[in-house]
């Protein structure tokens, strides 16, 4: 969308905002390469000023949109508002990036040695000498409050880390106990399968023994029946012994 066709003032403001966004992008890229905390602080202050200027220009952009809202069509106003929201979104991304670098810079300040600020020591002394006692006290209290807040944040991080570690240890302990129970259950199942196999073998042997006994009894019965039949058919055959309890047919008396 070419803002020149809508309003010269809006196009001019958009150009200024685009220039600031490019400067912010280059500034943050340069900031990532700076290791010295004092130089990083100065770069952050410069970027903060550009962020404030960008915020002011976006508000100016919004003011002009409202003034020309009546003269523009509905579709044009919609596109202008979308353009404004896009600028606000990009500005917020740079603000978040600035906060991230500011927090990192504070951590670097905590770990810097006593020689870390020698380059700007004289400048800091001059600034302090130009302050009143009340300003010095306010500045000192502010620095103490920031330090306390940083310490509290560090404590929270440590507490969260300890809690996560405790939860992980408890979870590992529970999983270890569960694995032990599973191993015990597998041992019990293996023992049960072994006992079942032995029982099946014993039942098989008993069945085989019963079959042998039944076969022998069957043969005995067949033999007795055969002898009885032969004795009845040949009662005078002396080669066949009498079965105890069964007299020959000839010697039987009819009642």
């Amino acid at each position: 969308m070419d803002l020149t066709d809508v309003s010269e003032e809006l196009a001019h403001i958009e150009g200024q905002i685009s220039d600031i966004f490019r400067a912010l992008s280059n500034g943050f890229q340069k900031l990532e390469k700076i290791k010295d905390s004092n130089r990083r602080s100065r770069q952050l202050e410069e970027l903060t000023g550009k962020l404030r200027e960008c915020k002011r220009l976006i508000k100016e952009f919004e003011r002009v949109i409202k003034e020309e809202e009546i003269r523009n069509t509905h579709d044009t106003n919609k596109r202008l508002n979308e353009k404004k929201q896009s600028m606000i979104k990009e500005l917020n991304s740079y603000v978040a990036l600035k906060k991230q670098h500011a927090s990192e810079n504070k951590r670097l300040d905590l770990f810097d040695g006593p020689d870390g600020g020698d380059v700007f020591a004289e400048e800091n002394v001059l600034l302090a000498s130009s302050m009143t006692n009340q300003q010095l006290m306010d500045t000192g209290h502010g620095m103490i409050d920031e330090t306390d807040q940083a310490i509290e944040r560090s404590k929270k991080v440590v507490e969260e880390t300890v809690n996560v570690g405790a939860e992980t240890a408890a979870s590992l302990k529970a999983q270890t106990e569960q694995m032990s129970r599973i191993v015990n259950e597998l041992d019990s199942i293996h023992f049960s399968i072994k006992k079942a196999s032995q029982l099946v073998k014993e039942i098989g042997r008993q069945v085989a023994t019963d079959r042998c006994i039944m076969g022998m009894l069957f043969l005995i019965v067949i033999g007795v029946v055969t002898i009885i039949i032969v004795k009845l058919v040949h009662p005078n055959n002396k080669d066949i012994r009498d079965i105890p309890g069964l007299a020959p047919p000839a010697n039987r008396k009819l009642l």
Side-chain angles (χ1 to χ4, degrees):
M1 180 180 181
D2 189 4
L3 295 182
T4 307
D5 297 335
V6 180
S7 172
E8 292 289 341
E9 187 176 3
L10 288 175
H12 179 68
I13 296 173
E14 182 195 21
Q16 289 180 311
I17 293 174
S18 299
D19 292 340
I20 292 177
F21 281 153
R22 281 193 294 270
L24 287 171
S25 178
N26 295 330
F28 280 112
Q29 290 178 3
K30 179 180 177 181
L31 182 63
E32 292 177 355
K33 299 177 182 179
I34 298 175
K35 302 300 181 182
D36 183 70
S37 60
N38 292 301
R39 291 180 60 194
R40 287 174 63 88
S41 297
R42 295 181 63 180
Q43 182 70 12
L44 280 173
E45 289 177 1
E46 182 181 347
L47 293 172
T48 302
K50 292 183 181 299
L51 289 171
R52 292 195 186 99
E53 179 64 16
C54 185
K55 182 179 179 181
R56 185 190 67 79
L57 288 172
I58 291 176
K59 288 183 177 180
E60 184 69 15
F61 188 86
E62 182 180 11
R63 182 188 63 78
V64 176
I65 290 176
K66 290 181 179 179
E67 289 179 354
E68 298 185 0
E69 185 176 5
I70 299 175
R71 294 192 295 270
N72 297 328
T73 62
H74 176 73
D75 186 58
T76 301
N77 290 327
K78 181 179 179 181
R79 292 183 180 181
L80 289 174
N81 286 319
E82 290 176 353
K83 182 68 176 178
K84 182 193 70 174
Q85 293 298 328
S86 176
M87 293 177 179
I88 293 174
K89 185 177 180 180
E90 188 171 358
L91 176 62
N92 288 335
S93 66
Y94 284 118
V95 171
L97 193 60
K98 180 256 179 183
K99 290 180 179 179
Q100 179 183 350
H101 283 287
S103 63
E104 291 177 358
N105 197 46
K106 286 182 180 179
R107 286 197 293 270
L108 289 174
D109 290 340
L110 290 175
F111 291 101
D112 278 343
D115 298 333
D118 288 345
V119 178
F120 298 96
E122 184 177 355
E123 180 181 354
N124 291 334
V125 171
L126 291 174
L127 289 173
S129 63
S130 63
M131 294 182 182
T132 63
N133 291 334
Q134 185 63 37
Q135 289 175 339
L136 288 171
M137 290 178 63
D138 293 339
T139 303
H141 287 310
M143 295 176 66
I144 292 172
D145 291 339
E146 291 179 358
T147 304
D148 291 339
Q149 291 175 2
I151 293 172
E152 290 297 326
R153 288 194 296 270
S154 301
K155 287 182 178 179
K156 289 181 179 179
V157 172
V158 172
E159 289 177 358
E160 291 176 357
T161 305
V162 171
N163 292 333
V164 170
E167 292 176 359
T168 304
S171 177
L172 288 174
K173 184 178 179 181
Q175 292 179 0
T176 303
E177 293 176 352
Q178 185 178 4
M179 292 296 295
S180 299
R181 289 194 298 270
I182 292 173
V183 171
N184 293 333
E185 290 176 359
L186 289 175
D187 291 339
S188 177
I189 292 171
H190 179 71
F191 179 76
S192 299
I193 292 174
K194 187 176 180 180
K195 292 292 291 182
S197 299
Q198 294 177 355
L199 182 61
V200 168
K201 290 179 181 179
E202 292 178 0
I203 292 173
R205 285 195 295 267
Q206 292 178 0
V207 170
T209 303
D210 293 342
R211 286 181 179 177
C212 291
I213 293 172
M214 291 296 293
M216 292 178 64
L217 290 175
F218 179 75
L219 292 175
I220 292 171
V221 171
I222 293 297
V224 172
V225 170
T226 303
I227 292 172
I228 292 172
I229 294 172
V230 173
K231 195 69 175 175
L232 291 174
V233 173
H234 303 285
N236 297 323
N237 191 346
K238 301 300 183 179
D239 295 331
I240 301 173
R241 286 188 173 186
D242 296 334
I243 298 174
L246 182 64
N251 297 329
R252 290 182 181 177
K253 295 181 180 181
L254 297 175
L255 297 177

